[in-house]
Amino acid sequence: MNKNYRDDFPLLRQKTQSGKPLIYLDSSVTSQKPQCVIDAITHYYQYENANIHRGVYELSERATQLYEKK
């Protein structure tokens, strides 16, 4: 299997001004996220975002279930 892991990370699909693939080495401060993580976070903020363990309303209960899901 010859998978190019750069394809999973949108930021790393970029090229530098000289046309070479972008290399990101500052990962001790900010790590890049793969597209699947970006999609999951976006979905959560669009459809599931609520306080967990606090509310007795449907959205809060759903957020709590997602948080506690293993």
Side-chain angles (χ1 to χ4, degrees), residues 3 6-7 10-11 16 22-24 29 40 42 48 55-56 69:
K3 176 152 174 54
R6 290 178 146 280
D7 294 339
L11 185 124
T16 63
L22 179 70
I23 297 172
Y24 184 82
V29 177
T42 299
E48 313 289 348
V56 289
K69 189 176 181 181

Side-chain angles (χ1 to χ4, degrees), residues 15-62:
K15 302 276 186 199
T16 63
Q17 291 178 358
S18 63
K20 295 180 180 178
L22 179 70
I23 297 172
Y24 184 82
L25 300 175
D26 195 14
S27 60
S28 64
V29 177
T30 302
S31 63
Q32 297 306 313
K33 312 300 184 274
Q35 188 64 53
C36 63
V37 171
I38 295 168
D39 294 344
I41 291 169
T42 299
H43 177 84
Y44 176 80
Y45 281 120
Q46 288 177 329
Y47 303 107
E48 313 289 348
N49 190 28
N51 290 319
I52 61 168
H53 298 133
R54 290 188 172 185
V56 289
Y57 52 96
E58 182 180 345
L59 186 56
S60 177
E61 291 172 357
R62 194 165 65 214

